[in-house]
């Protein structure tokens, strides 16, 4: 009992000795806190002033270059090659003779048919005079006239067969490698060479079906190919009228000028397609956007005071996003301090962007 009373007495004495110091410390802390709260500096923030801008709705895809026109040259008839006029890699004009097949037998048939036709035409003239004088019947004259017409048709047929012994360029273009030689026997299945028109050159590509309604004939396409540093431009001129049910994509074709022939069919291309261009769009930095349960918001600065504002967004690019509702041209949007600011809070502008 005496021991407990002694311990209690010691604690009381120590408390009385420490009380003045603790009191002074608490008073000093309260004073300092009051001083700090009264002289705290406003939060420094950076802001962006909204101004009209141009925004493009783009999609990125890949494609393949194809010839404007392309054909594998072949003969319509079989026979020995009499002469080859084509030169590999050279430009040719439409209708230019490239390969000639031996047609000596057909020319002999044509000569015989011409002799028979001339004889029949002379006989028809004489019988016509006799018919006018009543020397022969109408039936006899008609038989002779029919023979003349048959022989004329035969001459036309042989001429058509002779034309098939000539391989001509179906369009203006550039020849590829040849696969036959003088004296070779060829058939309609024999590959002679390739002919391609590569100016302009076409680009085949596909886009997801969700963009099908947005793409239009005339849309610009920027593309790059390996070996050419500068970006090139093409223009959409056609698209399939249906969606591919297997890939859920729409096949599109564009065309680009290729006067120097640097672009070659079969090359791989990276494409950037502009579906829509919006002028006077209200764009803000993406970092200014704050997600919330009901959508998205930004913090506007008006007269040095922060005001939260719900917004509706549109298109987006690398660093900015379009605001369709909630922000007007000339508004000041916070780009920093978004986690520290509160509604109606006063802030200090450290830097203004977008001026």
């Amino acid at each position: 009992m005496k021991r407990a009373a002694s311990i209690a007495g010691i604690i009381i004495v120590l408390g009385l000795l420490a009380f003045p110091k603790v009191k002074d410390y608490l008073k000093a802390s309260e004073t300092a806190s009051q001083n700090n709260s009264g002289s705290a500096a406003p939060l420094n923030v950076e802001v962006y002033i909204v101004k009209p801008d141009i925004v493009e709705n783009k999609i990125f895809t890949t494609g393949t270059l194809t010839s404007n026109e392309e054909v594998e040259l072949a003969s319509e008839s079989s026979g020995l090659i009499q002469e080859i006029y084509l030169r590999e890699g050279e430009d040719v004009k439409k209708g230019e003779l490239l390969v000639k097949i031996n047609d000596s037998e057909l020319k002999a048939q044509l000569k015989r048919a011409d002799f028979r036709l001339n004889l029949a035409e002379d006989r028809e003239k004489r019988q016509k005079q006799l018919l006018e004088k009543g020397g022969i019947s109408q039936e006899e004259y008609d038989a002779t006239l029919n023979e003349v017409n048959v022989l004329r048709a035969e001459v036309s047929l042989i001429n058509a067969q002779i034309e098939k012994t000539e391989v001509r360029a179906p369009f203006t273009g550039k020849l590829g490698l040849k696969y036959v030689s003088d004296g070779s026997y060829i058939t309609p299945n024999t590959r002679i060479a390739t002919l391609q028109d590569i100016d302009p050159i076409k680009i085949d590509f596909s886009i997801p079906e969700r963009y099908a309604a947005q793409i239009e004939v005339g849309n610009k396409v920027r593309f790059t190919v390996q070996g050419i540093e500068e970006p090139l431009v093409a223009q959409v001129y056609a698209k399939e009228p249906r969606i591919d049910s297997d890939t859920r994509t729409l096949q599109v074709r564009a065309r680009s000028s290729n006067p120097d022939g640097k672009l070659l069919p079969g090359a791989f291309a990276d494409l950037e397609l502009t579906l829509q261009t919006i002028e006077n769009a209200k764009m803000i930095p993406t970092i200014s956007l704050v997600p919330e349960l009901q959508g998205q918001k930004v913090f506007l600065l008006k007269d040095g005071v922060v005001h939260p504002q719900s917004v509706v967004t549109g298109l987006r690019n690398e660093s900015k996003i379009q605001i369709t509702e909630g922000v007007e041209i000339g508004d000041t949007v916070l780009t920093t301090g978004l986690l520290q600011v509160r509604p109606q809070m006063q802030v200090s502008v450290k830097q203004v962007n977008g001026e």
Side-chain angles (χ1 to χ4, degrees):
M1 187 69 180
K2 292 181 179 180
R3 184 178 179 183
S6 299
I7 294 174
I10 293 172
I11 293 174
I12 293 172
V13 171
L14 292 175
L16 293 173
L17 293 175
F19 178 74
K21 295 184 178 181
V22 172
K23 184 178 179 181
D24 293 339
Y25 174 77
L26 293 176
K27 185 176 181 180
S29 298
E30 182 180 356
T31 303
S33 177
Q34 293 176 352
N35 292 336
N36 289 336
S37 62
S39 61
L43 178 66
N44 289 328
V45 296
E46 295 182 10
V47 297
Y48 178 86
I49 298 179
V50 182
K51 60 182 180 180
D53 203 349
I54 298 176
V55 61
E56 294 179 330
N57 185 12
K58 300 179 181 179
I59 58 175
F60 299 88
T61 184
T62 58
T64 302
L65 304 188
T66 61
S67 301
N68 183 43
E69 300 291 346
E70 179 179 3
V71 67
E72 285 194 0
L73 297 174
S75 171
E76 291 187 82
S77 61
S78 302
L80 293 176
I81 293 179
Q82 179 177 321
E83 189 73 34
I84 297 179
Y85 300 98
L86 65 86
R87 296 293 180 267
E88 296 170 299
E90 289 190 352
D91 294 326
V92 294
K93 299 294 185 181
K94 180 179 180 179
E96 187 174 333
L97 180 61
L98 304 177
V99 175
K100 178 63 178 176
I101 297 174
N102 189 342
D103 61 354
S104 56
E105 183 178 348
L106 290 173
K107 285 183 176 179
Q109 294 177 10
L110 178 61
K111 189 174 183 179
R112 182 182 62 182
D114 281 337
F115 286 146
R116 293 172 59 189
L117 177 60
N118 291 335
L119 181 62
E121 288 177 340
D122 290 341
R123 186 165 60 251
E124 184 269 336
K125 290 179 182 178
R126 290 194 299 268
Q127 289 190 357
K128 186 176 183 181
Q129 293 175 354
L130 291 174
L131 177 64
E132 292 174 352
K133 296 177 182 180
I136 61 173
S137 66
Q138 182 69 42
E139 182 180 357
E140 290 176 315
Y141 173 76
D142 289 344
T144 301
L145 180 60
N146 181 66
E147 182 181 357
V148 171
N149 292 332
V150 169
L151 290 174
R152 286 173 178 170
E154 183 177 345
V155 170
S156 297
L157 176 61
I158 297 174
N159 281 324
Q161 291 174 336
I162 291 176
E163 287 182 3
K164 290 182 179 181
T165 64
E166 298 177 346
V167 179
R168 296 182 178 272
F171 51 82
T172 300
K174 183 179 287 292
L175 289 167
L177 304 178
K178 68 182 180 69
Y179 299 93
V180 295
S181 300
D182 288 335
S184 299
Y185 184 86
I186 62 174
T187 68
N189 294 325
T190 303
R191 181 184 183 187
I192 297 175
T194 58
L195 176 64
Q196 301 189 62
D197 175 15
I198 59 175
D199 183 27
I201 199 162
K202 298 175 181 177
I203 310 172
D204 287 343
F205 61 96
S206 58
I207 61 173
E209 63 176 326
R210 65 178 178 272
Y211 298 113
Q214 300 180 41
I215 190 167
E216 298 178 354
V217 172
N219 284 139
K220 297 294 183 180
V221 181
R222 296 183 180 89
F223 68 99
T224 57
V225 296
Q226 292 186 358
I228 300 179
E229 295 183 358
E230 67 274 10
L232 305 167
V233 178
Q235 188 174 33
V236 174
Y237 77 93
K239 61 181 180 179
E240 284 285 358
R242 63 181 295 272
I243 301 293
D244 190 323
S245 59
D246 294 329
T247 62
R248 298 299 175 187
T249 59
L250 176 69
Q251 191 69 24
V252 185
R253 181 168 289 172
R255 191 160 41 202
S256 177
S257 61
N258 186 32
D260 51 7
K262 289 183 178 180
L263 300 174
L264 299 179
F268 178 86
D270 289 306
L271 295 97
E272 176 186 303
L273 176 61
T274 302
L275 298 177
Q276 182 184 15
T277 300
I278 302 176
E279 298 183 356
N280 298 323
K282 294 173 288 188
M283 303 292 291
I284 66 171
T286 307
I287 58 174
S288 298
L289 207 60
V290 179
E292 56 182 359
L293 292 178
Q294 302 301 324
Q296 295 171 314
K297 68 178 180 180
V298 297
F299 288 107
L300 300 180
L301 183 61
K302 299 180 180 179
D303 299 326
V305 178
V306 175
H307 298 273
Q309 175 65 52
S310 298
V311 295
V312 178
T313 61
L315 301 178
R316 182 189 299 262
N317 58 26
E318 295 81 1
S319 59
K320 295 181 180 179
I321 188 168
Q322 180 194 12
I323 303 298
T324 58
E325 295 181 16
V327 171
E328 300 299 332
I329 301 298
D331 284 349
T332 303
V333 179
L334 270 65
T335 58
T336 62
L338 304 180
L339 299 179
Q340 293 87 0
V341 297
R342 297 292 181 268
Q344 304 303 318
M345 181 178 178
Q346 291 188 347
V347 295
S348 175
V349 177
K350 179 176 65 173
Q351 181 175 339
V352 178
N353 301 313
E355 290 186 334

